[in-house]
Amino acid sequence: MQIGIVGLGKMGGNIATRLTRHGHDVVLYDRDPAVISKVGAQAVAGKTIASSGLKDMVSKLTSGRRIIWLMLPAGHVTETAVEELGGLLGRNDILIDGGNSFYKDDLRRAAALAAKGIHYIDVGTSGGVWGLERGYCMMYGGSKDATDHVDPILSALAPGLGDIPRTPGRDKPGFDPRAEQGYLHCGPAGSGHFVKMVHNGIEYGIMQAFAEGFHVMMSKNSTELPEDQRFDLNMTDIAEVWRRGSVVSSWLLDLSARALAGNPDLSNYKGDVADSGEGRWTIEAAIEEAVPVPVMSEALFTRFRSRTGNNFAEKMLSAMRFGFGGHIEGTNN
């Protein structure tokens, strides 16, 4: 299939490259021409075309229904692109937002585009900077017609079964087989970003638990403790042993172990931990639904506090964020 990718940053560029590896043709656009050239060079030869803007991109999408995937920061930048493309695309064309937009914005955009006959799909995309090789876990919302049409694109980006054992009982009728492949149609427009939003809220809580636990162990040699109760524990080795058969083993623990092996005191991190919006939105949704979320709330508030002074726990959070998404301290990107 042919698709346009707008925004070729850490994830957008890798998404474009992965699609070319699966035989798809990609029209590229980024506000930085050097980035377009870089992605074109790393993609499969002959499978990309550069464009100079959104209008030029639309003109170069020539194979049937035009499909454009936005991989832009949530908010004004995405909003502006959606509005412009709403005036350039036509009936039955498909616009995908693969960033981290607020799901209520998706509801509004989908309705406005539907009035013009344009389909809108929201794709919550998880996989960070590792997605090029590992694939992306995707949660998406939109009409069945549109999502079925772009299934070859989503299938190419998804990680597939891999070596993860199948969940017992999933051979029963009624389960979506795509979930095992790492991508899932969650429902109408907005539902994909809603599920991804909650996913990121949970991520905040898990990261916070790891960070606090390592801080407790790091502080076990405190002079405030009786001398016979002090332990000088090796954080790097503990992270590694937990990776091997422990019930808390996870990708986040893998990233923590890697960061600690590189620098055991994490002095290369300040611990100023940003939040990218989804944690706040998850808590707002919980308030609307009257659902208690104390763990996620505390994790979000700790990130706020980290920007006024920090400790080893916040350095752990920074290390994990950099590990999975290349997030630099002090930024939301």
Side-chain angles (χ1 to χ4, degrees):
M1 298 182 76
Q2 187 187 41
I3 183 173
I5 305 289
V6 179
L8 304 173
K10 291 186 292 255
M11 289 182 67
N14 284 346
I15 284 172
T17 300
R18 185 173 173 90
L19 287 174
T20 65
R21 292 180 179 179
H22 286 77
H24 298 286
D25 296 296
V26 182
V27 181
L28 304 171
Y29 175 65
D30 191 276
R31 63 183 180 180
D32 184 350
V35 173
I36 298 176
S37 298
K38 178 182 176 181
V39 174
Q42 75 180 17
V44 174
K47 301 299 289 182
T48 63
I49 302 173
S51 63
S52 58
L54 299 183
K55 186 175 181 180
D56 186 41
M57 170 176 280
V58 170
S59 72
K60 290 177 176 176
L61 292 168
T62 58
S63 60
R65 296 172 73 174
R66 290 171 293 196
I67 307 167
I68 293 181
W69 181 303
L70 302 178
M71 207 65 193
L72 300 169
H76 177 71
V77 175
T78 295
E79 193 70 37
T80 301
V82 170
E83 289 179 2
E84 183 175 349
L85 287 166
L88 295 171
L89 296 174
R91 183 165 294 276
N92 284 327
D93 288 341
I94 299 171
L95 180 58
I96 301 170
D97 178 10
N100 283 326
S101 289
F102 185 39
Y103 79 98
K104 291 184 180 179
D105 290 334
D106 294 319
L107 301 178
R108 173 176 47 79
R109 294 170 187 162
L113 292 172
K116 302 178 180 182
I118 302 169
H119 295 270
Y120 180 87
I121 300 173
D122 57 293
V123 181
T125 312
S126 182
V129 295
W130 302 84
L132 176 59
E133 303 300 335
R134 290 168 57 110
Y136 299 90
C137 173
M138 292 169 291
M139 303 131 268
Y140 55 99
S143 69
K144 186 176 187 303
D145 170 69
T147 56
D148 284 352
H149 184 75
V150 301
D151 190 79
I153 296 290
L154 300 171
S155 177
L157 292 174
L161 279 172
D163 57 0
I164 298 175
R166 297 190 69 187
T167 300
R170 280 202 62 88
D171 53 350
K172 300 173 185 176
F175 296 122
D176 190 333
R178 291 170 295 192
E180 287 187 313
Q181 302 293 326
Y183 68 116
L184 178 67
H185 182 208
C186 298
S191 63
H193 276 152
F194 181 82
V195 173
K196 175 57 161 54
M197 176 188 80
V198 177
H199 162 283
N200 282 26
I202 293 170
E203 176 187 293
Y204 279 34
I206 296 172
M207 291 172 67
Q208 186 64 33
F210 272 126
E212 292 178 4
F214 276 94
H215 194 193
V216 169
M217 292 186 291
M218 184 69 141
S219 301
K220 188 55 178 169
N221 62 355
S222 170
T223 56
E224 299 298 317
L225 295 171
E227 188 171 356
D228 64 345
Q229 295 181 22
R230 300 175 198 168
F231 303 146
D232 188 12
L233 301 172
N234 187 304
M235 298 300 102
T236 305
D237 287 344
I238 291 170
E240 187 61 32
V241 75
W242 282 0
R243 294 182 63 222
R244 312 292 173 170
S246 164
V247 296
V248 299
S249 59
S250 67
W251 188 28
L252 289 173
L253 180 59
D254 293 345
L255 297 171
S256 300
R258 177 177 295 201
L260 289 165
N263 187 355
D265 65 4
L266 300 182
S267 58
N268 50 324
Y269 294 97
K270 294 184 298 180
D272 296 343
V273 188
D275 67 285
S276 54
E278 298 88 349
R280 302 186 189 205
W281 299 335
T282 301
I283 293 166
E284 289 173 5
I287 292 171
E288 292 172 355
E289 300 163 12
V291 173
V293 287
V295 172
M296 289 187 283
S297 297
E298 180 61 28
L300 175 65
F301 296 153
T302 296
R303 293 191 178 201
F304 295 165
R305 194 209 59 76
S306 76
R307 297 163 211 166
T308 61
N310 46 63
N311 53 37
F312 187 78
E314 273 97 41
K315 292 180 180 181
M316 284 289 296
L317 290 174
S318 286
M320 283 185 272
R321 290 186 85 242
F322 181 77
F324 69 72
H327 300 293
I328 307 299
E329 290 175 318
T331 71
N332 292 335
N333 297 321

